[in-house]
Amino acid sequence: MEELVGLAKRRGFIFQSSDIYGGLQGMYDYGPLGVELKNNLKAAWWRAMVYNRDDVEGLDAAILTNPLTLRYSGHEATFTDPLVDCRACKSRWRADHLESNKCPNCGSDDLTEPRPFNLMFKTQVGPVDDGSSFAYLRPETAQAIFTNFKNVVDSTSPKLPFGIAQIGKAFRNEITPRNFIFRVREFEQMELEFFVKPGEDEQWHAKWVEERLNWWSEQGVDRNQLELYHVPADELAHYSKATVDVMYRFPHGLEELEGIANRTDFDLGSHTKNQAEYQIQAKVEPNPDSNAKLVIQDLASKQWQVPYVIEPSAGVDRGVLAIMNEAYRVEDLGDGKQRTVMAFKPHLAPIKVAVLPLKRNHEGIVTKAREIRQSLQKLGLGRILYEDTGNIGKGYRRHDEVGTPLCVTVDFQTIEQDDTVTVRNRDTMNQERIPVSELGHLVQAHLSAEHNG
Ligand code: ATP
């Protein structure tokens, strides 16, 4: 983990937030390469969940949420972690994360009994600070999918089964944020709510677990580093009938990367006005505050139904950490030499191609290299970098370390003889001379999303 954190900072992937003022616990900022990696991961998810399917629509809803949404979702009452205080040193801990009944800070066993601590952040809305006009920062993106259910159904007329996908920030006032970007207070989620007919929920749950395992493999996560955890009944969230967690062997241990829950008709049911009419299975309280009927009509039987929902919910930041951990390797090159490589799948690599002029002061070479960079950029494959530090060997090493799949070197032969360039492959370290006219095609083939997720 230390090596990853060091590389992340040195190369501009991830920084401690508010660093110059001593940081803010549980917050991280993504730097020039981190933002590219994170965007590429989110784009890969969106391609798999929305573009490659005919049964999913997207959504991008507000972060600040009406407290009623989170009251009827059950979060106000139950979205808590057990908090204990150490009476000796005044530190606070999450009871279920303690390895013994001693304070990890000072070793005292004088701890309070655990008490529920609500993880939601609140903020004032509008200019009057009388405590009555507040909103929550959403603790999951899912609720806005449920509250927009009717809007999406009315505007797209889907038939069951169908899904609504969303990627966005979520906030949890974690008692002890830790392990770099693994457990933070501000993070991003990629969530799909997949609505199905009641009775078909269990088979769809199993199917989504399989789909999600395959997707993580396509992102370069070794299947052997993933394990499924069938959450026991006494650990299930209040809305869940069954949850399967996709666990990944993070540098600090085996922990949850994604949770795939069968949320039944709990959420749509809770936000629906007249629940008795729709034979909602979940035990939910009546909802006098809602005007909504979050139901769908079965075209064959003409019956109104509250669909069940299967939710694959993945953390973007945990995904970035897993992918960086999988990609990171130190290779022995013989003669006591080593290289560090981030072997990202090309579609995730922050920089797709680096174009390097052999001489940084040679006008002909520089102009040609810039032209090549522009023409590759126009292919729309992601970031193409022009870099004129003048030392090609060092350039290759640096780009190995940030995971750039291809480097293109422009030299005298390019401009004076045959319009060819050297293409250097990150993984094989092979160098190949090819005509500039074939470069676009080669780069496209190497990076094409079809071939790597
Ligand atoms: P944990 O048990 O690790 O706290 P959780 O079961 O509360 O996680 P879910 O509510 O299932 O998490 O959230 C779905 C996904 O959101 C998680 O699988 C994880 O990837 C991500 N996530 C949740 N909490 C955090 C956090 N504090 N920091 C980063 N990612 C998080």
Side-chain angles (χ1 to χ4, degrees):
M1 184 73 109
E2 266 171 34
E3 285 172 49
L4 272 185
V5 174
L7 186 144
K9 175 157 192 201
R10 194 171 68 248
R11 291 294 184 211
F13 283 90
I14 299 159
F15 309 125
Q16 166 78 51
S17 196
S18 303
D19 204 6
I20 63 167
Y21 292 109
L24 180 61
Q25 218 198 347
M27 309 288 167
Y28 285 91
D29 298 338
Y30 286 77
L33 296 185
V35 62
E36 299 292 339
L37 174 60
K38 195 183 190 199
N39 283 343
N40 292 340
L41 185 66
K42 292 192 281 184
W45 188 90
W46 199 261
R47 270 200 304 275
M49 299 306 232
V50 184
Y51 295 166
N52 289 350
R53 306 182 63 96
D54 295 317
D55 53 4
V56 175
E57 300 288 343
L59 184 75
D60 181 18
I63 288 169
L64 294 183
T65 306
N66 187 325
L68 289 173
T69 299
L70 292 153
R71 179 173 313 157
Y72 288 103
S73 70
H75 284 81
E76 269 191 344
T78 62
F79 196 62
T80 58
D81 277 337
L83 172 74
V84 294
D85 288 275
C86 170
R87 290 197 185 91
C89 73
K90 310 288 178 223
S91 59
R92 294 185 144 178
W93 305 96
R94 198 171 136 177
D96 56 333
H97 282 173
L98 290 181
E99 275 160 24
S100 66
N101 53 4
K102 289 204 167 61
C103 170
N105 187 42
C106 71
S108 162
D109 58 7
D110 192 8
L111 303 177
T112 60
E113 281 301 304
R115 61 183 192 283
F117 172 75
N118 197 296
L119 298 179
M120 289 196 292
F121 283 99
K122 262 183 186 178
T123 190
Q124 178 201 333
V125 176
V128 184
D129 187 11
D130 62 0
S132 67
S133 45
F134 72 94
Y136 289 113
L137 276 67
R138 64 185 177 195
E140 59 176 22
T141 75
Q143 288 309 317
I145 295 182
F146 301 128
T147 55
N148 275 297
F149 178 80
K150 193 168 179 322
N151 292 331
V152 176
V153 168
D154 288 351
S155 54
T156 64
S157 310
K159 288 190 210 65
L160 287 176
F162 70 91
I164 305 176
Q166 180 168 219
I167 300 177
K169 291 261 184 175
F171 300 81
R172 296 183 187 179
N173 197 3
E174 296 279 353
I175 296 169
T176 44
R178 58 184 174 174
N179 296 319
F180 194 32
I181 52 171
F182 176 81
R183 186 175 301 287
V184 283
R185 290 183 171 138
E186 171 173 346
F187 55 98
E188 269 186 279
Q189 292 183 315
M190 308 184 279
E191 295 197 304
L192 172 69
E193 304 304 320
F194 196 77
F195 301 100
V196 304
K197 286 187 185 159
E200 293 181 1
D201 51 313
E202 288 179 16
Q203 81 202 52
W204 276 105
H205 194 192
K207 202 171 147 72
W208 275 112
V209 170
E210 218 32 58
E211 292 264 341
R212 297 303 303 146
L213 280 175
N214 291 339
W215 185 82
W216 283 113
S217 301
E218 284 165 15
Q219 309 319 306
V221 179
D222 181 353
R223 180 67 184 79
N224 295 320
Q225 303 303 321
L226 295 169
E227 266 181 37
L228 294 179
Y229 176 66
H230 293 259
V231 178
D234 61 340
E235 285 178 26
L236 287 174
H238 61 276
Y239 50 71
S240 173
K241 165 176 160 185
T243 297
V244 179
D245 287 343
V246 177
M247 312 288 281
Y248 170 71
R249 230 172 291 286
F250 285 97
H252 62 278
L254 186 68
E255 290 223 52
E256 177 180 335
L257 171 63
E258 167 161 0
I260 303 157
N262 180 345
R263 294 181 79 131
T264 70
D265 55 2
F266 178 87
D267 300 274
L268 291 182
S270 315
H271 294 304
T272 286
K273 184 183 181 184
N274 189 350
Q275 297 154 10
E277 242 179 83
Y278 304 109
Q279 297 171 339
I280 288 158
Q281 307 292 312
K283 290 187 186 60
V284 288
E285 300 300 318
N287 188 333
D289 292 309
S290 163
N291 292 317
K293 292 177 177 173
L294 305 181
V295 294
I296 197 161
Q297 193 172 30
D298 182 69
L299 291 180
S301 67
K302 298 279 179 250
Q303 289 229 315
W304 291 95
Q305 282 181 325
V306 186
Y308 267 43
V309 67
I310 306 301
E311 173 196 71
S313 169
V316 177
D317 312 78
R318 288 185 190 181
V320 167
L321 182 56
I323 277 157
M324 289 186 74
N325 187 46
E326 287 288 308
Y328 180 79
R329 57 198 61 159
V330 179
E331 284 178 7
D332 227 325
L333 301 176
D335 296 337
K337 287 190 189 142
Q338 284 187 330
R339 69 165 186 158
T340 303
V341 193
M342 281 301 225
F344 294 125
K345 288 272 198 143
H347 71 284
L348 295 177
I351 299 165
K352 306 303 179 190
V353 181
V355 183
L356 316 171
L358 182 71
K359 291 255 177 276
R360 66 172 145 187
N361 298 326
H362 189 283
E363 206 189 319
I365 292 180
V366 165
T367 306
K368 183 72 182 175
R370 285 194 181 279
E371 264 172 37
I372 290 175
R373 177 234 180 271
Q374 280 310 113
S375 68
L376 291 179
Q377 190 60 62
K378 282 192 188 134
L379 298 175
L381 300 166
R383 183 148 198 221
I384 312 292
L385 193 78
Y386 168 84
E387 195 177 76
D388 62 356
T389 50
N391 183 328
I392 301 301
K394 276 196 186 150
Y396 289 163
R397 290 287 172 277
R398 198 167 43 249
H399 281 286
D400 284 346
E401 209 183 0
V402 300
T404 307
L406 297 174
C407 288
V408 171
T409 300
V410 179
D411 58 15
F412 288 104
Q413 190 179 329
T414 318
I415 57 163
E416 286 170 2
Q417 293 178 26
D418 55 9
D419 207 31
T420 62
V421 285
T422 305
V423 178
R424 192 259 191 187
N425 182 305
R426 174 196 73 198
D427 298 326
T428 61
M429 292 191 279
N430 283 343
Q431 299 183 24
E432 186 188 4
R433 260 209 108 91
I434 64 152
V436 171
S437 58
E438 288 172 21
L439 191 58
H441 186 71
L442 179 139
V443 168
Q444 222 151 10
H446 196 78
L447 297 178
S448 127
E450 268 168 75
H451 294 114
N452 52 71

